[in-house]
Amino acid sequence: MDWITIDACRRCTDLPTEAEIRGWVRTRRDSKGGFSFLEVNDGTCLGNLQVVVPGELENYASEVQKLTAGCSVIIRGQLLESPAKGQATELHAESVQVTGWCDGETYPLQKKRHSFEKLREWSHLRARTNTLGAVMRVRNRLSQSIHRFFDEAGFFCLHTPIVTASDCEGAGEMFRVTTLNLDKLAGSNRPLDAGQDFFGKPTHLTVSGQLEGETYASAMSKIYTFGPTFRAENSNTSRHLAEFWMVEPEAAFYDLSDNMQLAERFLKRIFSDCLDSCAEDMAFFDERIEKGKLAQLQDVVDKPFEHMTYTDAVDRLTSSDESFEYPVKWGIDLQAEHEKYLTQLVDGPLILTDYPASIKPFYMRVSDDGKTVAAMDVLVPGVGEIIGGSQREERLDVLQRRMAEAGLDEQEYWWYVDLRRYGSVPHAGFGLGLERAVQYVTGMTNIRDVIPFPRTPGNADF
Amino acid sequence: MDWITIDACRRCTDLPTEAEIRGWVRTRRDSKGGFSFLEVNDGTCLGNLQVVVPGELENYASEVQKLTAGCSVIIRGQLLESPAKGQATELHAESVQVTGWCDGETYPLQKKRHSFEKLREWSHLRARTNTLGAVMRVRNRLSQSIHRFFDEAGFFCLHTPIVTASDCEGAGEMFRVTTLNLDKLAGSNRPLDAGQDFFGKPTHLTVSGQLEGETYASAMSKIYTFGPTFRAENSNTSRHLAEFWMVEPEAAFYDLSDNMQLAERFLKRIFSDCLDSCAEDMAFFDERIEKGKLAQLQDVVDKPFEHMTYTDAVDRLTSSDESFEYPVKWGIDLQAEHEKYLTQLVDGPLILTDYPASIKPFYMRVSDDGKTVAAMDVLVPGVGEIIGGSQREERLDVLQRRMAEAGLDEQEYWWYVDLRRYGSVPHAGFGLGLERAVQYVTGMTNIRDVIPFPRTPGNADF
């Protein structure tokens, strides 16, 4: 007999049936009637399966009564309708095989509630807790949904390079990648010769796959990347990771309006998939992590996104009665407090467009007014910016001028500039930080708790 | 009217219909009858759409007759059944808008045939060629299919860290990741202080997500990773990349037999998806790149994989009449020539199992004979090893002994060893290099031609 998941056991309606489960004990309770209750979880769902173990089993006293949280077991028996409240089914054990014991004295995940901070010290075990397990299932669902959305919409999945000799933004704080022996280098007392390095020149970890993505969009029409990106910012906040996953679609012949529609359809789809496929986990987040989350997400799925230009947003902010820490005037980069005010104003997601050229990168398309670019940010309540994107500058002369203004060497980007020489097309794209999306969906406040093993200054454990 | 892809135009059966396409001109041919034929491609399929442009168009002489390979165009017209052979439909243009010219004098992709080596110098443009476009569509299909297979099989997508302080194999040649200023370091004449680095200790790019994957399999039962991995080997061959994408499933309660079944189902599924969904591209590879490819892949999909132990394989090799460059005896690592002989012997994929412990990493499960481990390699004709995997050592004492033998510091792997302390379970998994799989499916001989931007010693361009 093959075993079945605990998720399947809990949903099973064809009862009674024989079943075998494999998982980890969460709790054991011995009844005075001479039998025991085990709560067993295998990570496939939030809930446990209740297992009733009769005292008659051969290893009842020798093993079953010694089971503690964390022990792994294989249990066979009859899956029945449960008379108890809050669960549809329960398993009546006919055999319990212990595959791995768990020392209750040293096992970190005891019954007591641990802080998320503490759990991070046990990142190799924390997915065994209710909250982190639920986060990882939602993260999985978002990831699967992202691939499906783009596949169905005719976007090709593209793996852009992680190690790169160019810098997308022209100004990112980047990690250097090297095979030079740093210990030897420190003692060498000779100038560095980057030509001796593995790639023959200085290389870094990518901050974005966009520029490379544009080259493939100029050949295959619609592509998206979904991979790790890196920032070497020394920011020890609950909003920053040094390593995170980013989704970046890029489409030829898209203008800003197409791009906004794509972003809206995309977010609605991935949130809707989470609500549908992770209903139990989502109910948990709604109840335990952020009240009202379900209604908020359903709203995003149902309501059309509001649009507002940056200029209008600045007008709204300056004419409001709110007192902001950062004063608002046209030309500033909007702060979290401003974004929060605006999302509250429209009571839902908001797409801001047409930002000042001076605060946006060289590759964004300059508008006819000469002052703004065809940029867009999608803001959501609570999290703020979740998507940033733009129509790209497809005109060779304008791009060259913008690069010069930004102090970039056109020679270094020869291949990027080539796209405007050889069959240039209007095109647009955006970036979504996966972790921001998981935070928004789950309501988790610290970004370190929505990625399996967070990398932050001083932390590269596991 | 929205535009539609050229793939959709070529498959359209509801004719005649109005259509707009957007893409790049591949060729132009002017007819003496006062009209022109354009072949237009948008990367959504191998074939072009033939467009008939009447001389009556306003911009016929001023623009249409100046179109060259690479120009981008937006064309509207009537999509009709084509009287010509080799194409089902053709577009009769009612308007041709040129969105981007392409200087025929400098555009690298002229009509003449270029070597794959030459095309690599234009990696930003090479997806516009038939072969590389087809490769990238197949690569996309494999990637999508990989996610679907594991999602449907109940595996959770897991993003394991790219930057890591541990070394999965204990012996990989790794890239160092640092924010230290190497120029300053070279002149410092002081010993390196890794504590001053971003993560407070030396970090590297991952060679595998397996160990971290095992931690999550021990909580969520079945996971898979699909991400970039890195090798700093100075190998300038057609089989090595410094950066490549790897798929690594890991399942709790799986033994070697479960693992073998999973690998077989997995390969059959992803190959079958390519045959079904990329039929035109696959026919192209069969005809132009490797004759017989279609039949070979269909065979893999249809036939059960052969199984053979390493020991049996060595017997077969030593008793064969073949003269091998590398002599065979029990205990050696099999070479490409040996694998080739074995796959020819069984005329299809072959799973070799039970390798000598001495040539396999510490984490593989030691068999009862004490000499072998529960390892498996899946070999396919032409490519050799495409999958490597094993059942993992779940016994604490045996794992500790193996780590000591391998000279590894158990303290550094405390979290990995913890898995055997707290609810240890039998578990197994494998790794598939995506690029090897793309090579096998397409027949492309150089691995640099199956990844968008290859990274090899001395090459980190684009």
Side-chain angles (χ1 to χ4, degrees):
Chain A
M1 180 172 61
D2 271 350
W3 78 96
I4 58 174
T5 66
I6 286 182
D7 189 36
C9 283
R10 292 177 68 236
R11 293 167 187 271
C12 185
T13 51
D14 185 17
L15 301 171
T17 182
E18 266 196 286
E20 176 179 315
I21 59 160
R22 303 181 172 196
W24 292 268
V25 172
R26 284 282 176 90
T27 64
R28 191 195 85 237
R29 188 162 53 84
D30 297 329
S31 157
K32 286 176 185 158
F35 56 94
S36 298
F37 294 104
L38 301 177
E39 294 281 335
V40 181
N41 188 285
D42 66 358
T44 58
C45 57
L46 184 75
N48 306 319
L49 183 69
Q50 175 163 289
V51 181
V52 185
V53 189
E56 288 74 35
L57 289 195
E58 204 182 7
N59 62 342
Y60 183 72
S62 62
E63 297 196 315
V64 173
Q65 285 194 305
K66 290 173 182 161
L67 287 170
T68 55
C71 292
S72 62
V73 287
I74 298 178
I75 304 179
R76 285 178 184 228
Q78 293 292 324
L79 190 65
L80 306 171
E81 219 173 295
S82 174
K85 267 192 187 166
Q87 58 189 33
T89 62
E90 61 184 31
L91 185 67
H92 286 231
E94 287 158 7
S95 78
V96 174
Q97 179 193 344
V98 184
T99 45
W101 293 97
C102 184
D103 180 3
E105 295 295 308
T106 61
Y107 188 51
L109 298 178
Q110 295 301 319
K111 254 190 184 167
K112 86 184 259 277
R113 191 172 283 244
H114 301 286
S115 69
F116 290 129
E117 200 172 0
K118 194 75 202 161
L119 286 179
R120 257 170 257 143
E121 295 175 18
W122 308 316
S123 284
H124 61 311
L125 302 173
R126 66 178 179 163
R128 302 180 183 193
T129 65
N130 283 342
T131 307
L132 268 291
V135 167
M136 291 308 156
R137 282 185 297 273
V138 165
R139 187 182 166 105
N140 166 69
R141 183 49 44 212
L142 284 173
S143 303
Q144 300 292 354
S145 181
I146 288 164
H147 285 296
R148 291 209 181 204
F149 172 81
F150 286 117
D151 189 28
E152 288 163 15
F155 286 68
F156 294 102
C157 177
L158 179 74
H159 297 118
T160 49
I162 309 302
V163 177
T164 177
S166 50
D167 173 1
C168 174
E169 306 282 329
E173 291 185 79
M174 307 213 288
F175 288 102
R176 179 87 173 244
V177 175
T178 182
T179 52
L180 297 173
N181 183 317
L182 300 196
D183 284 301
K184 273 195 196 159
L185 197 66
S188 70
N189 212 10
R190 271 184 304 187
L192 176 71
D193 178 5
Q196 294 301 310
D197 211 340
F198 189 90
F199 295 110
K201 56 181 155 184
T203 53
H204 297 88
L205 292 179
T206 186
V207 298
S208 162
Q210 180 198 313
L211 303 194
E212 289 91 351
E214 286 183 55
T215 69
Y216 272 74
S218 299
M220 309 181 71
S221 291
K222 298 196 278 186
I223 62 90
Y224 72 104
T225 72
F226 186 1
T229 51
F230 305 83
R231 298 289 150 85
E233 268 179 87
N234 197 4
S235 299
N236 244 313
T237 80
S238 62
R239 290 171 54 84
H240 291 89
L241 289 169
E243 173 181 319
F244 56 97
W245 283 66
M246 189 133 80
V247 182
E248 297 181 282
E250 188 76 33
F253 298 106
Y254 267 43
D255 62 18
L256 191 65
S257 163
D258 298 317
N259 207 26
M260 287 195 283
Q261 284 175 39
L262 181 73
E264 180 170 346
R265 277 197 296 134
F266 169 66
L267 288 179
K268 284 179 192 294
R269 163 68 183 272
I270 65 175
F271 294 161
S272 154
D273 280 353
C274 278
L275 289 169
D276 292 348
S277 305
C278 296
E280 188 188 32
D281 291 321
M282 289 306 304
F284 172 85
F285 290 118
D286 190 65
E287 193 186 321
R288 301 289 187 87
I289 304 294
E290 189 184 329
K291 297 258 183 250
K293 189 41 95 177
L294 283 176
Q296 187 193 48
L297 285 176
Q298 194 60 56
D299 239 31
V300 174
V301 171
D302 296 337
K303 277 167 52 175
F305 288 14
E306 298 275 343
H307 296 184
M308 194 185 289
T309 65
Y310 168 91
T311 303
D312 284 349
V314 167
D315 284 349
R316 299 283 196 113
L317 289 162
T318 48
S319 65
S320 83
D321 295 332
E322 207 81 6
S323 72
F324 298 109
E325 196 188 333
Y326 294 88
V328 178
K329 64 171 186 177
W330 201 96
I332 66 155
D333 227 342
L334 297 182
Q335 301 295 318
E337 56 174 346
H338 308 137
E339 296 181 345
K340 194 176 163 191
Y341 175 83
L342 293 167
T343 54
Q344 280 171 349
L345 195 71
V346 304
D347 189 26
L350 170 65
I351 309 186
L352 288 186
T353 59
D354 305 290
Y355 282 80
S358 55
I359 59 169
K360 292 288 182 185
F362 72 93
Y363 51 73
M364 296 193 178
R365 192 180 196 280
V366 178
S367 305
D368 290 345
D369 62 16
K371 283 165 53 190
T372 62
V373 288
M376 66 172 209
D377 278 1
V378 183
L379 316 179
V380 289
V383 162
E385 186 203 318
I386 195 170
I387 277 180
S390 70
Q391 186 173 341
R392 321 305 188 183
E393 185 54 75
E394 88 280 14
R395 296 162 294 187
L396 179 61
D397 56 333
V398 183
L399 184 73
Q400 287 172 321
R401 177 166 56 74
R402 291 272 288 161
M403 291 180 80
E405 284 167 9
L408 297 176
D409 181 1
E410 197 189 310
Q411 300 304 314
E412 274 190 35
Y413 295 85
W414 65 272
W415 50 273
Y416 184 70
V417 178
D418 259 6
L419 302 182
R420 281 74 183 172
R421 289 198 177 96
Y422 306 127
S424 186
V425 288
H427 60 291
F430 62 77
L432 168 92
L434 176 65
E435 287 72 22
R436 286 272 174 89
V438 182
Q439 277 194 280
Y440 182 59
V441 168
T442 60
M444 296 294 287
T445 51
N446 195 317
I447 201 165
R448 299 171 196 205
D449 298 326
V450 299
I451 189 167
F453 300 97
R455 266 70 182 112
T456 54
N459 297 304
D461 299 326
F462 309 102
Chain B
M1 179 175 58
D2 271 350
W3 78 96
I4 58 174
T5 66
I6 285 180
D7 189 36
C9 283
R10 292 177 68 237
R11 292 168 188 271
C12 185
T13 52
D14 186 19
L15 302 170
T17 182
E18 265 195 286
E20 176 180 316
I21 60 160
R22 301 181 173 197
W24 293 267
V25 172
R26 285 281 176 90
T27 62
R28 193 196 85 236
R29 187 162 54 84
D30 299 327
S31 157
K32 286 177 185 161
F35 55 93
S36 298
F37 294 104
L38 300 176
E39 294 282 332
V40 182
N41 188 285
D42 66 359
T44 59
C45 58
L46 183 76
N48 307 317
L49 183 69
Q50 174 163 290
V51 182
V52 185
V53 188
E56 288 73 36
L57 289 194
E58 204 181 6
N59 61 344
Y60 184 75
S62 61
E63 295 195 316
V64 174
Q65 285 194 306
K66 290 175 183 159
L67 286 170
T68 54
C71 291
S72 63
V73 287
I74 298 178
I75 304 179
R76 287 181 184 222
Q78 294 293 321
L79 191 64
L80 307 171
E81 218 172 299
S82 174
K85 267 191 188 166
Q87 60 187 30
T89 62
E90 62 183 30
L91 185 67
H92 285 228
E94 287 159 6
S95 78
V96 175
Q97 180 193 342
V98 184
T99 46
W101 293 96
C102 184
D103 180 3
E105 294 295 308
T106 61
Y107 188 50
L109 298 179
Q110 294 302 318
K111 256 190 185 168
K112 85 183 259 276
R113 193 173 282 242
H114 301 286
S115 68
F116 291 129
E117 201 173 358
K118 194 74 203 160
L119 286 178
R120 255 172 258 142
E121 295 175 19
W122 309 316
S123 284
H124 60 311
L125 302 173
R126 65 178 179 162
R128 302 179 182 191
T129 65
N130 283 342
T131 307
L132 269 291
V135 166
M136 292 308 156
R137 283 185 296 272
V138 165
R139 186 181 167 107
N140 166 70
R141 184 48 46 212
L142 283 173
S143 302
Q144 300 291 355
S145 182
I146 287 165
H147 285 297
R148 290 207 181 203
F149 173 82
F150 285 118
D151 189 29
E152 288 163 15
F155 285 68
F156 294 101
C157 177
L158 179 74
H159 298 117
T160 49
I162 309 304
V163 177
T164 177
S166 52
D167 173 1
C168 173
E169 306 281 330
E173 290 185 81
M174 307 211 292
F175 289 101
R176 180 88 172 244
V177 175
T178 182
T179 53
L180 297 173
N181 183 316
L182 300 196
D183 284 302
K184 274 194 192 158
L185 196 68
S188 73
N189 212 10
R190 270 183 306 187
L192 177 73
D193 179 6
Q196 295 300 310
D197 211 340
F198 189 90
F199 295 110
K201 56 181 155 187
T203 52
H204 297 88
L205 292 179
T206 187
V207 298
S208 162
Q210 181 198 312
L211 302 192
E212 290 89 352
E214 286 184 54
T215 70
Y216 272 74
S218 299
M220 308 181 75
S221 292
K222 298 195 279 186
I223 63 91
Y224 73 102
T225 72
F226 187 0
T229 52
F230 305 83
R231 298 289 151 83
E233 268 178 88
N234 197 4
S235 299
N236 245 315
T237 80
S238 62
R239 290 170 55 85
H240 291 87
L241 290 169
E243 174 180 318
F244 56 96
W245 283 66
M246 189 133 78
V247 182
E248 296 181 282
E250 188 75 33
F253 298 107
Y254 265 43
D255 61 18
L256 191 65
S257 163
D258 298 316
N259 208 26
M260 287 194 284
Q261 282 174 41
L262 182 72
E264 181 170 345
R265 277 198 296 133
F266 169 67
L267 289 180
K268 283 178 191 296
R269 164 66 183 272
I270 64 176
F271 294 161
S272 152
D273 280 354
C274 278
L275 289 169
D276 291 349
S277 304
C278 297
E280 188 188 30
D281 292 320
M282 289 306 304
F284 172 83
F285 290 118
D286 189 65
E287 193 185 320
R288 302 288 187 87
I289 304 295
E290 188 185 328
K291 297 262 182 242
K293 190 39 99 178
L294 283 176
Q296 187 192 49
L297 285 175
Q298 195 60 55
D299 238 30
V300 174
V301 171
D302 295 337
K303 276 167 55 174
F305 288 14
E306 298 276 342
H307 296 184
M308 194 185 289
T309 65
Y310 169 90
T311 303
D312 283 350
V314 167
D315 285 348
R316 299 283 196 115
L317 290 163
T318 49
S319 66
S320 84
D321 295 332
E322 207 81 8
S323 72
F324 297 111
E325 194 185 338
Y326 295 88
V328 179
K329 65 171 186 176
W330 201 94
I332 65 154
D333 227 343
L334 298 182
Q335 301 294 319
E337 55 174 345
H338 308 137
E339 296 181 346
K340 193 178 165 191
Y341 176 84
L342 293 166
T343 54
Q344 280 172 348
L345 196 70
V346 304
D347 189 26
L350 169 66
I351 309 187
L352 288 186
T353 60
D354 305 290
Y355 282 79
S358 55
I359 57 168
K360 291 289 183 183
F362 72 94
Y363 52 72
M364 295 192 178
R365 192 179 195 279
V366 178
S367 305
D368 290 346
D369 63 17
K371 282 164 52 190
T372 61
V373 288
M376 65 172 210
D377 278 1
V378 182
L379 316 180
V380 288
V383 163
E385 186 204 316
I386 195 169
I387 277 181
S390 70
Q391 187 173 341
R392 321 303 189 185
E393 186 53 76
E394 88 280 15
R395 295 162 297 186
L396 179 61
D397 55 335
V398 183
L399 185 72
Q400 287 171 321
R401 177 165 56 73
R402 290 271 289 162
M403 291 179 80
E405 285 168 6
L408 297 175
D409 181 2
E410 197 189 308
Q411 301 303 313
E412 272 189 35
Y413 295 85
W414 65 273
W415 51 273
Y416 183 71
V417 178
D418 259 7
L419 302 181
R420 282 74 184 172
R421 290 198 177 94
Y422 304 128
S424 184
V425 289
H427 60 292
F430 62 77
L432 168 92
L434 176 65
E435 287 72 21
R436 286 273 174 90
V438 182
Q439 276 194 281
Y440 182 59
V441 168
T442 60
M444 296 294 287
T445 52
N446 196 319
I447 201 164
R448 300 171 194 203
D449 298 324
V450 299
I451 189 167
F453 299 97
R455 266 70 183 112
T456 54
N459 296 305
D461 298 326
F462 307 102

